[in-house]
C-alpha cells in the first residue's frame, strides 16, 4: 500500500488534454517563452544582412538597367508590386504590434478564465476567442504552447492556433479593404476558417493521443522583462512577416505580368484545379495573414472560391507555420496535424465558397 497522504481523487486521463494537464496546479502563470519558434541572434542578424544585400543588389540593378526598367512589362510589374506592398503594410505593422502586446502583457490566466475545462466545450470557445484576440501565425504557435503549459486542453489551444490568425479583426478588416464592395468575401473567410478550426479541434479532442504532441518546455530566461519580450516579438515578427510579404508581392506581381495570360486563365477556368493551385501557392509563399488578402485579390484570374482557398489555407498551413509547429510540438505532431488541417480547410473552402461566392 502507498504511504502517501490521502488527497482529492482525480479522474483518469481519458483524452490528450486531460493527460497533459492532469498534474497542473494553476501555478506558474508566466509568459510564453520568447525563444519558442524564434531564431537565435545570429540567424536574426543573418536575415537583416540578407535584406541589406538584396536592397544593395536592387540599387545596383537600377543603375545598370535604368533604360530597361522603362519597359511596359516592368512598369506593370512594379505597379502591382507597389500596390500590394503599400496597401498591406499598415495592417501588417498594426497586427504585429497587437500580437507582440498579447505575447508580452496578457497573462495566460486571462484565457483560462473564459475557456471551459472540458475539451469538447472548450474548442468552439477557443475558436471564437480568435475573433477578438488577434495575433498573426508567427505568434499563434508559442501562444498555443503557453496555453497548453498552463492547463488549457490541447484541442482548445490548437483551435485558437488555427482561428486567431485567420479570423481576427485586423485580418477581416484587411480582407474587406482588399475586396471593396464585396462583403461576402470576408464573411466567407470568417465562416470557412472558423469552421475548419473548430472541426480540427473536435477531431483532435476525440482522437488525439498524448504521445502525438510533445509538451512545450518552459525555457525562457527568468529575468526577461515584459518590455524585452514585447520588443523582441515586435522586431522578429516584423522582420519575418515583412520579408514574407515582399516575397508574396513579388510572386503575385510576377504571376500577373510574366506568366502568359492564357495559362493563368486556363487554370483559373478549372474550378477544382484553381482551388488546389492557390492552396499550394499559399503554403509555399507563407504570407502573413494580415497581408494575404491583398495578394489574393490580385490573383483575379482565379475564381472567388480559389481566392478564398488562398486566404483560408495560408494562415493554417504554410511552410513557416509547419517549421514553428515542429520546433514547438515535434515532427510527430506535424505529420498528423498538418494533413488534418489542410483537409478541413479545403472542405470548408469548397462548402462556403460554393454557398456564398
Amino acid at each position: 500500500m502507498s504511504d502517501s497522504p490521502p488527497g482529492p481523487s482525480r479522474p483518469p486521463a481519458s483524452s490528450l488534454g486531460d493527460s497533459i494537464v492532469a498534474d497542473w496546479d494553476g501555478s506558474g502563470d508566466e509568459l510564453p517563452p520568447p525563444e519558442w519558434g524564434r531564431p537565435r541572434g545570429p540567424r536574426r542578424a543573418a536575415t537583416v544582412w540578407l535584406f541589406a544585400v538584396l536592397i544593395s543588389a536592387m540599387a545596383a540593378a537600377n543603375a545598370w538597367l535604368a533604360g530597361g526598367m522603362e519597359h511596359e512589362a516592368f512598369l506593370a510589374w512594379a505597379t502591382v508590386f507597389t500596390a500590394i506592398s503599400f496597401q498591406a503594410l499598415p495592417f501588417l505593422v498594426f497586427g504585429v504590434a497587437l500580437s507582440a502586446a498579447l505575447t508580452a502583457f496578457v497573462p495566460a490566466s486571462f484565457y483560462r478564465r473564459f475557456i471551459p475545462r472540458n475539451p469538447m466545450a472548450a474548442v468552439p470557445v477557443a475558436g471564437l476567442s480568435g475573433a477578438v484576440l488577434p495575433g498573426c501565425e508567427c505568434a499563434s504557435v508559442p501562444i498555443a504552447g503557453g496555453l497548453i503549459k498552463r492547463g488549457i486542453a490541447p484541442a482548445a489551444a490548437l483551435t485558437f492556433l488555427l482561428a486567431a490568425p485567420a479570423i481576427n479583426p485586423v485580418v477581416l478588416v484587411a480582407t474587406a479593404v482588399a475586396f471593396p464592395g464585396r462583403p461576402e468575401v470576408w464573411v466567407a473567410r470568417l465562416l470557412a476558417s472558423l469552421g475548419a478550426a473548430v472541426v480540427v479541434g473536435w477531431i483532435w479532442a476525440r482522437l488525439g493521443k498524448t504521445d502525438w504532441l510533445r509538451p512545450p518546455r518552459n525555457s525562457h530566461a527568468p529575468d526577461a522583462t515584459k518590455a524585452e519580450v514585447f520588443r523582441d516579438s515586435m522586431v522578429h515578427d516584423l522582420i519575418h512577416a515583412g520579408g514574407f510579404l515582399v516575397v508574396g508581392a513579388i510572386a503575385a506581381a510576377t504571376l500577373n505580368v510574366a506568366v502568359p495570360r492564357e495559362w493563368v486563365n486556363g487554370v483559373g477556368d478549372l474550378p477544382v484545379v484553381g482551388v488546389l493551385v492557390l492552396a499550394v501557392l499559399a503554403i509555399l509563399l507563407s504570407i502573413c495573414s494580415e497581408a494575404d488578402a491583398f495578394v489574393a485579390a490580385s490573383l483575379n484570374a482565379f475564381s472567388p472560391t480559389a481566392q478564398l482557398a488562398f486566404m483560408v489555407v495560408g494562415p493554417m498551413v504554410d511552410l513557416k507555420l509547419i517549421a514553428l509547429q515542429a520546433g514547438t510540438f515535434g515532427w510527430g505532431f506535424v505529420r498528423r496535424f498538418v494533413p488534418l488541417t489542410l483537409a478541413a480547410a479545403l472542405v470548408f473552402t469548397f462548402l462556403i465558397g460554393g454557398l456564398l461566392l
Side-chain angles (χ1 to χ4, degrees), residues 70-112:
E70 295 178 359
H71 190 275
E72 180 180 352
F74 176 79
L75 293 177
W77 180 92
T79 300
V80 175
F81 170 76
T82 303
I84 294 173
S85 300
F86 277 87
Q87 273 190 303
L89 189 59
F91 295 97
L92 179 63
V93 173
F94 183 56
V96 167
L98 280 175
S99 176
L102 287 173
T103 303
F105 301 116
V106 179
S109 59
F110 175 82
Y111 304 98
R112 200 166 54 239

Side-chain angles (χ1 to χ4, degrees), residues 72-267:
E72 180 180 352
F74 176 79
L75 293 177
W77 180 92
T79 300
V80 175
F81 170 76
T82 303
I84 294 173
S85 300
F86 277 87
Q87 273 190 303
L89 189 59
F91 295 97
L92 179 63
V93 173
F94 183 56
V96 167
L98 280 175
S99 176
L102 287 173
T103 303
F105 301 116
V106 179
S109 59
F110 175 82
Y111 304 98
R112 200 166 54 239
R113 292 189 189 102
F114 299 99
I115 298 180
R117 297 281 294 179
N118 182 282
M120 298 300 290
V123 163
V125 175
L128 290 173
S129 69
V132 295
L133 297 174
C136 72
E137 59 266 35
C138 298
S140 65
V141 174
I143 290 176
L147 294 177
I148 294 174
K149 182 71 174 179
R150 289 154 183 80
I152 300 299
L158 296 176
T159 302
F160 179 85
L161 182 155
L162 296 176
I167 67 171
N168 72 68
V170 177
V171 169
L172 295 181
V173 170
T175 305
V177 172
F179 293 88
R182 298 175 60 190
E184 69 276 7
V185 175
W186 71 261
V187 172
R189 180 174 194 174
L190 169 64
L191 296 178
S193 300
L194 180 60
V198 170
V199 166
V200 169
W202 274 335
I203 294 175
W204 196 268
R206 178 67 65 182
L207 303 177
K209 299 183 183 301
T210 303
D211 56 359
W212 289 359
L213 187 148
R214 183 183 67 201
R217 296 184 296 273
N218 190 354
S219 58
H220 70 277
D223 57 347
T225 66
K226 293 183 178 181
E228 291 172 341
V229 173
F230 175 81
R231 180 200 63 201
D232 292 344
S233 299
M234 184 77 179
V235 170
H236 167 268
D237 291 347
L238 189 57
I239 290 176
H240 283 258
F244 289 119
L245 170 61
V246 171
V247 172
I250 290 174
T254 303
L255 183 63
N256 275 271
V257 175
V259 177
R261 181 58 58 182
E262 57 271 17
W263 294 6
V264 178
N265 292 336
V267 175

